[in-house]
Amino acid sequence: MIPVVKPFLPPKKEYTKYLSDIWKRNWLTNMGPLSNELEVRLKRHLEVDHLLFINNGTMGLQMAIKSLDLNGEIITTPFSFVATTSSIVWEGCRPVFVDICSESLNIDATKIEEAITDKTSAILATHVYGNPCDVVLIDEIAQKYNLKVIYDAAHAFGVKVGEKSIFEYGDISICSLHATKLYHSIEGGIIVVKNSDLHKKLASIRNFGFETVESFSELGINAKNSEFHSAMGLVNLDYIDKITKSRERIYNRYNENLKTLKVRRPKWHKFSKNNYAYYPIIFENERQLYNTMMYLKRHEIYTRRYFYPSLATSLPYVETKKLVVTDNISKKILCLPFYTDLSIEEIDMICRLIIDAQNSTE
Ligand SMILES: *Cc1c(COP(=O)(O)O)cnc(C)c1O
């Protein structure tokens, strides 16, 4: 059986080493020493100034919206994970969907302006599969109309645009450290902000809004993460280069094996390099996707229609909106199995089956 993703697990010994320290200290959660150490190491690794380690990426999106006091309408992408939209609604705002670009699969920045009304307060865009949005144009539009920008960078761990971390764009970026992501702390997330005031505010929000033990500065929530999760984050950070190298090999092998297949892939940002978080392919039509998916499933190989269906047509709490490019792409895109210890033999087998499936569809 080959699943679509499999969480990375480091050697058990390296994790249990941290556990002995936790037992000695008896400090299990609440911004403990391991959580602090992880924040310091992540800041250095990502080359960012202000970062908070929290309990998950979804909470990060909600805290971002809350901390910027957003209201009214938020312009967003329908081609993302449900948390991108649900967090807008959860925070009492209304998502306004703008279609995606058929090449990058990110929000089409050239269509944002026509969606702006006097109720628009922000843009919330996703760097889909780790591929950076048109951050320059989005920034220009935000400045012109005085809007805030939040990036759902859940897929974009380690990505840079030019020399700069992708997390430094916009007012706030969030990343998910969930077990199925490229780099993880079992459950977890990070929030990156550019200034220390906002950092301080978010730190207070993370901890129930406490300013001191006996006073409050904010409406807060519990977004802290534990020492056990921090320990997993610390061990996995030692492996991030190995993880990336191994996934690059898998990525290239897929590319090589599937050269003759009639599919296309997202077009990557000119000044950025893939972080090998996902392996999506776009078929010529839904029938080919479906046949391939079912053919692989009969051989116990599991793929995922990620993202399908469009968030603008599937959520019971938002008005349905048809969007030509999103509806088209989401029907034809499939993510293939992609995880760090997927072997070359397994990739070759998957690719043979995909080619068989496509030949039998024609
Ligand atoms: C995983 C993911 C999230 C949610 O992150 P969690 O840590 O699971 O809460 C949000 N947005 C996107 C695009 C994701 O892939």
Side-chain angles (χ1 to χ4, degrees), residues 175-290:
C175 186
S176 168
L177 306 191
H178 182 257
T180 55
K181 303 296 208 265
L182 176 68
Y183 162 74
H184 78 88
S185 61
I186 312 172
E187 286 275 2
I190 48 188
I191 305 183
V192 179
V193 295
K194 280 186 300 201
N195 73 67
S196 53
D197 288 344
L198 197 50
H199 179 258
K200 209 170 137 204
K201 183 170 180 178
L202 282 159
S204 169
I205 291 177
R206 172 174 68 176
N207 189 29
F208 305 101
F210 276 111
E211 187 173 35
T212 69
V213 246
E214 291 174 353
S215 68
F216 300 94
S217 57
E218 307 293 333
L219 170 63
I221 197 156
N222 181 1
K224 299 175 271 99
N225 211 336
S226 83
E227 291 292 276
F228 296 79
H229 293 83
S230 308
M232 185 60 84
L234 284 164
V235 183
N236 286 348
L237 199 52
D238 291 334
Y239 284 89
I240 190 66
D241 290 340
K242 268 198 192 134
I243 291 171
T244 307
K245 277 215 182 69
S246 131
R247 297 175 77 106
E248 182 176 14
R249 233 184 61 216
I250 298 169
Y251 194 92
N252 290 336
R253 187 78 177 191
Y254 266 133
N255 277 354
E256 180 62 27
N257 286 351
L258 297 178
K259 241 180 358 210
T260 59
L261 197 70
K262 280 184 242 143
V263 294
R264 65 181 181 94
R265 294 168 186 76
K267 185 169 173 223
W268 221 258
H269 191 288
K270 259 203 313 257
F271 303 116
S272 188
K273 193 174 167 302
N274 202 316
N275 65 345
Y276 311 109
Y278 296 89
Y279 195 91
I281 48 177
I282 307 164
F283 287 88
E284 286 179 324
N285 57 58
E286 191 174 16
R287 191 172 58 94
Q288 282 181 347
L289 172 143
Y290 195 74

Side-chain angles (χ1 to χ4, degrees), residues 56-58 61 80-81 83-84 126 152 154-155 176 178 181 188 306-307:
N56 62 66
T58 306
L61 288 169
S80 186
F81 184 61
T84 316
T126 303
D152 180 340
H155 298 171
S176 168
H178 182 257
K181 303 296 208 265
Y306 195 65
F307 303 106

